[in-house]
């Protein structure tokens, strides 16, 4: 159950960040997974997912900043 949840969360964050699915994502059993050719434990996958989530949040923050600057520019024009 933990493996499926970790894989689903990774898949969701990966798709949100890169707008595509990962090349490879498989459960190898015994709390091991294969992600884009790299074999890792579920703990490592969860850590990688957190890293991707932080990166995604930064992208969202940057987009919001751009939109705010554009709105300010249009309001002045």
């Amino acid at each position: 159950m933990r493996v499926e949840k970790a894989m689903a969360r990774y898949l969701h964050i990966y798709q949100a960040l890169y707008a595509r699915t990962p090349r490879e994502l498989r459960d190898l059993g015994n709390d091991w997974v294969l992600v884009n050719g790299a074999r890792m434990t579920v703990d490592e996958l969860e850590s990688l997912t957190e890293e991707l989530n932080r990166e995604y949040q930064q992208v969202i923050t940057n987009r919001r900043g751009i939109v705010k600057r554009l709105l300010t520019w249009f309001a002045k024009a």
Side-chain angles (χ1 to χ4, degrees):
M1 185 76 151
R2 179 177 174 221
V3 175
E4 290 85 13
K5 284 184 180 182
M7 288 173 56
R9 185 160 185 259
Y10 174 81
L11 181 62
H12 175 73
I13 297 294
Y14 190 96
Q15 287 175 326
L17 185 59
Y18 299 115
R20 61 183 170 88
T21 58
R23 184 171 35 102
E24 188 173 30
L25 182 61
R26 286 190 306 167
D27 181 0
L28 298 176
N30 296 325
D31 286 343
W32 286 91
V33 293
L34 190 62
V35 180
N36 293 334
R39 183 176 180 220
M40 62 182 70
T41 64
V42 175
D43 291 333
E44 292 169 325
L45 177 61
E46 289 172 341
S47 185
L48 176 61
T49 302
E50 283 304 315
E51 210 174 297
L52 289 178
N53 191 40
R54 283 190 294 275
E55 190 176 328
Y56 178 67
Q57 293 304 320
Q58 186 62 46
V59 167
I60 295 299
T61 301
N62 291 345
R63 286 181 188 167
R64 285 183 182 144
I66 291 169
V67 169
K68 285 181 183 179
R69 285 192 300 256
L70 282 171
L71 289 173
T72 302
W73 185 79
F74 282 125
K76 291 179 182 179

